[in-house]
């Protein structure tokens, strides 16, 4: 709870510096909530709660992305309620309520509880704040809904796990005609276009991830285990204040370079291995996602060079075409055309892009042409398995090169441009001493 107050205070302070606020009393999550309320169906009700899946990858608690987006709060045990028609009366003298935040009151509160919640509502821009024990009373006030927007229960679920889920299900069963709509129908198009503040946080996550890659380049050598490289990377993340991983760290050497979401990290790295390092931290809730592929010894073999340069050409060609109006399908076709030109099309195993933001695979319509403010990855890859009919020297070469790119008014800006990716640059930086050299001397 101490964290809650710190977080709220930080948030209120942060608001005054947001450049697109109309006045210092406006806050961004409140504006987002208003935009969502506008889009809701005439009798729509939205309920978002902290989810158990908020605990991500063994790091600290991580809030649900939409809940964070609409509240600016990263605490546990929050419930956000938005009502399009307005809830008539909470019984506490507050009428026609469209936005509610339920949260446990702090332990050892020195002021009256109602006073605390009234001040909280005022500072965070909610119509009403209360303890979660008010939920039943609030729901009783709602006599009709047409669409239910929620992140916990789906239309086909009969029983939820928590008391709150059970209560919500009981409540919803009163309205047999209600339809369930995923929350991203309301937030997807907003979250797809990042504000300058969001871009700055993604850039910070990218910068930390770049430093982690550079340390991994310098530390890489045959004989190390994949998990040792992972340890160096995650040390750099934590050292720089990144509170989470954006996704489980992927360090895949040799045959593991072919496994797209390889997480085990138990292989001892061999001399001829090529190593895919697909990593990203999360900084103040925003993700980075950058891949580099490097040779264990610091020198690419001829076959590794050939494949690497094809993937690099695809990566650079796609980046060069990025501007408003381009589609993700066009990006994928461009990757296929380049890789196909060299005869390796059948070794493509995945699409070459996704949105990046609060989630590593961020929300947003993937068919809509890109617009200024979209942040996307560019990640072509070639993966040659041992069953391939190519000569054995090509087997177990998996190469992926992934950058994070902002679409601007006139073109694009590569947020991860500072991280080397040509063969000459990588071989050069790999000659430097790394953390493993220091700690194993
Ligand atoms: N690291 C996951 C991805 O590149 O999509
Ligand atoms: Mn990645
Ligand atoms: Mn990616």
């Amino acid at each position: 709870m101490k964290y809650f107050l710190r977080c709220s205070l930080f948030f209120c302070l942060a608001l005054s510096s947001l450049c697109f606020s109309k006045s210092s009393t406006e806050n961004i999550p409140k504006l987002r909530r208003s935009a969502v309320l506008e889009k809701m169906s005439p009798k729509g009700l939205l309920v978002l709660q902290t989810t158990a899946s908020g605990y991500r990858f063994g790091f600290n608690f991580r809030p649900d992305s939409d809940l964070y987006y609409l509240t600016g709060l990263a605490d546990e045990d929050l419930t956000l309620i938005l009502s399009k028609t307005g809830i008539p009366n909470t019984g506490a003298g507050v009428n026609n309520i469209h936005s509610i935040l339920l949260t446990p009151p702090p332990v050892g509160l020195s002021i009256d509880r109602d006073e605390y919640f009234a001040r909280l509502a005022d500072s965070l821009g909610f119509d009403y704040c209360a303890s979660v024990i008010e939920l039943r009373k609030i729901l009783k006030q709602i006599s009709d809904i047409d669409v239910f927007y929620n992140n916990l229960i789906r239309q086909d679920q009969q029983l939820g796990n928590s008391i709150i889920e059970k209560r919500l299900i009981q409540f919803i069963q009163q309205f047999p005609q209600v339809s369930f709509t995923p929350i991203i129908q309301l937030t997807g198009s907003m979250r797809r276009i990042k504000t300058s503040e969001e871009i700055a946080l993604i850039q910070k996550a990218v910068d930390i991830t770049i430093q982690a890659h550079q340390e991994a380049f310098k530390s890489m050598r045959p004989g190390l285990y994949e998990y040792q490289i992972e340890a160096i990377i995650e040390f750099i993340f934590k050292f720089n204040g990144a509170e989470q991983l954006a996704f489980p760290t992927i360090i895949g050497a040799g045959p593991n370079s072919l496994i797209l979401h390889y997480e085990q990290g138990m292989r001892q790295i061999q001399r001829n291995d090529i190593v895919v390092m697909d990593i990203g931290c999360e900084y103040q809730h925003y993700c980075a996602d950058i891949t580099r592929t490097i040779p264990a010894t610091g020198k690419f073999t001829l076959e590794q060079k050939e494949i690497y340069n094809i993937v690099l050409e695809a990566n650079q060609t796609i980046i060069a075409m990025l501007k408003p109006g381009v589609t993700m399908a066009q990006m994928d076709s461009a990757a296929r055309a380049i890789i196909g030109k060299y005869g390796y099309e059948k070794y493509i195993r995945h699409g070459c892009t996704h949105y990046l933001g609060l989630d590593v695979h961020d929300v947003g319509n993937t068919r809509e042409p890109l617009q200024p403010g979209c942040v996307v990855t560019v990640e072509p890859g070639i993966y040659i398995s041992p069953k391939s009919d190519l000569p054995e020297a090509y087997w177990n070469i998996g190469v992926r090169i992934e950058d994070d790119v902002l679409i601007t008014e006139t073109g694009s800006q590569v947020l991860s441009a500072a991280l080397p990716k040509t063969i000459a640059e990588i071989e050069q930086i790999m000659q430097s001493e790394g953390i493993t050299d220091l700690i194993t001397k």
Side-chain angles (χ1 to χ4, degrees):
M1 195 40 59
K2 206 165 94 213
Y3 183 52
F4 176 75
L5 289 173
R6 194 179 63 211
C7 199
S8 312
L9 179 64
F10 168 78
F11 196 69
C12 295
L13 291 174
L15 293 176
S16 55
S17 63
L18 294 176
C19 58
F20 58 93
S21 293
K22 288 199 198 91
S23 82
S24 61
T25 55
E26 270 179 344
N27 72 51
I28 300 304
K30 185 178 176 190
L31 294 175
R32 290 171 178 159
R33 290 194 294 273
S34 302
V36 161
L37 274 162
E38 279 288 307
K39 288 199 218 176
M40 284 167 66
S41 67
K43 292 177 187 158
L45 181 74
L46 175 151
V47 182
L48 279 185
Q49 289 172 281
T50 310
T51 57
S53 63
Y55 295 88
R56 195 144 108 176
F57 314 132
F59 272 56
N60 304 325
F61 169 74
R62 201 255 175 210
D64 174 278
S65 294
D66 286 302
L67 189 56
Y68 178 74
Y69 190 73
L70 295 175
T71 63
L73 302 171
D75 303 84
E76 301 184 46
D77 301 324
L78 300 180
T79 303
L80 168 69
I81 302 175
L82 296 179
S83 161
K84 178 79 167 194
T85 46
I87 297 166
N89 182 342
T90 57
V94 190
N95 300 325
N96 195 25
I97 295 152
H98 295 278
S99 62
I100 299 177
L101 179 73
L102 302 180
T103 173
V107 179
L109 198 57
S110 60
I111 56 169
D112 175 70
R113 191 187 267 223
D114 288 347
E115 170 71 16
Y116 166 77
F117 280 122
R119 282 198 210 167
L120 192 64
D122 193 43
S123 70
L124 298 178
F126 285 91
D127 292 340
Y128 184 60
C129 287
S131 159
V132 75
I133 51 175
E134 302 279 320
L135 180 65
R136 187 204 294 262
K137 212 157 59 179
I138 290 166
L139 293 178
K140 263 192 175 163
Q141 300 281 324
I142 300 170
S143 54
D144 196 11
I145 57 174
D146 53 2
V147 178
F148 184 58
Y149 308 90
N150 177 256
N151 65 336
L152 283 185
I153 54 177
R154 297 191 315 268
Q155 195 126 26
D156 56 357
Q157 269 183 321
Q158 290 306 301
L159 274 181
N161 293 323
S162 69
I163 293 169
I164 294 182
E165 282 174 64
K166 287 187 178 124
R167 178 149 297 152
L168 279 172
I169 288 168
Q170 259 175 9
F171 163 73
I172 287 298
Q173 281 169 348
Q174 299 175 72
F175 310 106
Q177 302 307 321
V178 76
S179 69
F180 285 55
T181 299
I183 181 70
I184 57 160
Q185 289 227 345
L186 296 174
T187 54
S189 59
M190 294 163 66
R191 284 179 53 188
R192 180 174 174 262
I193 309 295
K194 273 70 183 178
T195 63
S196 52
E197 289 74 17
E198 290 180 294
I199 292 161
L201 292 175
I202 296 172
Q203 182 70 69
K204 178 75 182 171
V206 164
D207 290 344
I208 296 170
T209 304
I210 287 174
Q211 192 188 346
H213 262 300
Q214 285 171 327
E215 282 304 326
F217 288 3
K218 294 178 195 168
S219 283
M220 179 63 68
R221 55 168 125 104
L224 289 178
Y225 285 84
E226 294 163 334
Y227 63 77
Q228 292 179 298
I229 298 297
E230 181 178 328
I232 287 164
I233 286 163
E234 294 181 11
F235 160 72
I236 298 290
F237 288 172
K238 287 205 168 181
F239 189 81
N240 284 288
E243 68 275 23
Q244 297 278 339
L245 298 178
F247 55 91
T249 299
I250 299 168
I251 306 297
N256 299 333
S257 68
L258 309 179
I259 304 172
L260 298 186
H261 288 115
Y262 174 74
E263 293 171 24
Q264 282 75 6
M266 296 305 287
R267 176 180 169 86
Q268 190 172 26
I269 298 167
Q270 305 296 309
R271 284 198 70 72
N272 275 334
D273 285 356
I274 196 153
V275 189
V276 168
M277 305 193 297
D278 184 350
I279 66 170
C281 72
E282 185 178 299
Y283 186 83
Q284 290 187 17
H285 314 286
Y286 285 84
C287 297
D289 181 11
I290 308 175
T291 309
R292 289 293 183 265
T293 303
I294 63 175
T297 56
K299 286 271 169 211
F300 287 86
T301 65
L302 278 180
E303 294 77 12
Q304 289 169 350
K305 267 188 187 166
E306 178 194 337
I307 302 303
Y308 189 92
N309 278 329
I310 295 168
V311 177
L312 183 62
E313 185 178 330
N315 168 288
Q316 290 170 328
T317 305
I318 299 163
I319 287 175
M321 70 190 256
L322 287 181
K323 60 180 183 195
V326 169
T327 63
M328 288 182 160
Q330 287 169 336
M331 294 167 70
D332 274 326
S333 306
R336 276 191 185 280
I338 304 281
I339 294 171
K341 182 174 78 176
Y342 295 97
Y344 289 101
E345 192 174 349
K346 69 176 180 182
Y347 301 103
I348 296 174
R349 302 247 308 272
H350 55 77
C352 76
T353 184
H354 55 82
Y355 294 117
L356 184 69
L358 281 171
D359 290 306
V360 65
H361 291 174
D362 210 30
V363 295
N365 187 335
T366 53
R367 298 214 176 106
E368 233 177 278
L370 297 176
Q371 286 170 253
C374 288
V375 178
V376 295
T377 63
V378 174
E379 50 178 307
I382 292 178
Y383 307 89
I384 304 172
S385 77
K387 291 182 213 118
S388 154
D389 44 17
L390 289 169
E392 206 172 323
Y394 287 90
W395 293 4
N396 293 323
I397 296 181
V399 175
R400 177 161 67 255
I401 306 173
E402 177 175 27
D403 284 295
D404 300 341
V405 186
L406 167 69
I407 306 302
T408 63
E409 294 289 339
T410 52
S412 72
Q413 181 190 340
V414 183
L415 304 177
S416 50
L419 183 62
K421 64 180 170 185
T422 66
I423 285 180
E425 287 168 336
I426 287 173
E427 290 187 345
Q428 169 77 31
I429 188 171
M430 287 186 75
Q431 287 176 23
S432 311
E433 277 209 333
I435 290 175
T436 42
D437 298 297
L438 291 174
I439 60 181
T440 57
K441 257 181 191 160

